[in-house]
């Protein structure tokens, strides 16, 4: 299984600012994902982070609001741009290992509060 | 489109009692099915998974789940619950599509354990 580290673990941000969350995996993985978990809710997939190309966004999420980078097979970032209180959530990085792997592994998450 | 339904928002059981968490899925082909657990302030940990083979799957921490194709269900069970099992449990379905491999989560069931 892959070990996934996210930074920061939590942050409190002013509305209108941006925050970049980093996700580091301890081994090369084929796929990386970003999820949002709003208070008391389940996980919603934001996008699939593609290595060397633009991320694939799910319905309701756009690149201008959630730009994603994935420069290599072990690292990705998610930026939450122009934040509002509605963006207060836990943001989780996830990775799937080899081509034959089916389960996703998760980081501890980043708890974001926008004030 | 694939989806996951967890009918119970929360369940309370006594320590030492048996547990069953319900999960129903919708998917056109044979699905990849997962159960994850999320303790407060933590990321998600994989309990068990199913894709093929024996329909009764053993997982970590004494959990098991049974795949029933006729009922489109993948219920999670544990014969004797421990206080440390109190957490949020997510059923998930994994599916391949043109965008790659995605994991779709149910709404979650919060388990409370009483002494």
């Amino acid at each position: 299984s892959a070990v996934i580290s996210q930074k920061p673990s939590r942050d409190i941000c002013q509305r209108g600012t941006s925050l970049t969350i980093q996700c580091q995996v301890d081994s090369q993985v084929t796929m990386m994902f970003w999820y949002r978990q709003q208070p008391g809710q389940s996980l919603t997939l934001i996008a699939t982070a593609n290595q060397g190309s633009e991320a694939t966004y799910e319905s309701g999420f756009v690149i201008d609001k959630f730009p994603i980078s994935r420069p290599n097979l072990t690292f990705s970032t998610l930026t939450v741009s122009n934040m509002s209180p509605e963006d207060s959530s836990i943001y989780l990085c996830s990775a799937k290992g080899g081509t034959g792997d089916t389960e996703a592994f998760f980081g501890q998450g980043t708890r974001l509060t926008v004030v | 489109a694939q989806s996951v339904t967890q009918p119970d928002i929360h369940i309370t059981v006594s320590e030492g009692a048996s547990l069953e968490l319900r999960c129903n899925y919708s998917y056109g082909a044979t699905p990849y099915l997962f159960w994850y657990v999320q303790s407060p302030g933590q990321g998600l940990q994989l309990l068990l998974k199913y894709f093929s083979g024996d329909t009764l799957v053993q997982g970590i921490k004494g959990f098991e789940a049974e795949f029933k194709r006729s009922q489109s269900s993948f219920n999670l069970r544990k014969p004797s619950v421990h206080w440390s099992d109190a957490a949020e449990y997510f059923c998930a379905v994994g599916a391949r599509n043109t965008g790659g491999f995605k994991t779709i989560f149910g709404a979650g069931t919060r388990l409370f354990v009483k002494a």
Side-chain angles (χ1 to χ4, degrees):
Chain A
S1 63
V3 177
I4 300 173
S5 302
Q6 274 185 245
K7 289 193 297 187
S9 58
R10 60 178 62 230
D11 207 342
I12 301 174
C13 300
Q14 297 289 325
R15 68 178 67 198
T17 63
S18 298
L19 175 72
T20 296
I21 303 168
Q22 298 180 2
C23 177
Q24 179 73 54
V25 190
D26 69 343
S27 58
Q28 292 186 347
V29 292
T30 54
M31 301 182 78
M32 295 182 74
F33 309 88
W34 287 97
Y35 286 84
R36 181 174 72 183
Q37 186 179 23
Q38 294 178 301
Q41 303 294 314
S42 185
L43 283 75
T44 301
L45 181 63
I46 298 172
T48 302
N50 301 310
Q51 194 263 327
S53 64
E54 192 172 286
T56 304
Y57 289 84
E58 297 299 305
S59 175
F61 297 96
V62 295
I63 187 171
D64 289 346
K65 177 66 176 177
F66 297 102
I68 287 170
S69 78
R70 189 178 173 194
N72 56 50
L73 293 176
T74 65
F75 186 78
S76 177
T77 66
L78 168 74
T79 298
V80 186
S81 303
N82 189 25
M83 288 183 285
S84 67
E86 292 71 35
D87 294 319
S88 298
S89 286
I90 298 173
Y91 291 87
L92 291 134
C93 174
S94 173
K96 193 169 78 69
T99 305
D101 289 354
T102 56
E103 67 266 33
F105 299 97
F106 286 83
Q108 297 289 77
T110 296
R111 182 179 294 274
L112 170 62
T113 302
V114 183
V115 297
Chain B
Q2 53 271 24
S3 65
V4 180
T5 301
Q6 293 179 248
D8 303 306
I9 296 173
H10 55 80
I11 283 182
T12 301
V13 299
S14 298
E15 190 169 19
S18 63
L19 170 70
E20 182 169 30
L21 302 181
R22 295 184 291 164
C23 172
N24 293 95
Y25 68 90
S26 172
Y27 186 59
T30 300
Y32 296 86
L33 294 164
F34 311 92
W35 274 99
Y36 287 86
V37 60
Q38 185 180 36
S39 298
Q42 301 296 310
L44 275 74
Q45 182 182 23
L46 180 69
L47 287 175
L48 47 79
K49 65 178 180 178
Y50 170 81
F51 175 57
S52 63
D54 193 345
T55 56
L56 185 61
V57 180
Q58 301 298 319
I60 62 172
K61 304 185 178 186
F63 285 93
E64 66 178 27
E66 186 171 13
F67 171 65
K68 293 185 177 180
R69 184 186 299 276
S70 61
Q71 299 177 19
S72 297
S73 69
F74 189 56
N75 295 349
L76 182 72
R77 300 195 294 250
K78 187 169 184 178
S80 177
V81 168
H82 188 263
W83 65 267
S84 61
D85 293 323
E88 187 91 19
Y89 291 81
F90 293 98
C91 182
V93 60
R96 297 188 185 280
N97 53 30
T98 54
F101 186 94
K102 298 179 184 179
T103 307
I104 307 299
F105 288 84
T109 298
R110 181 165 293 277
L111 173 64
F112 297 94
V113 180
K114 59 182 181 181

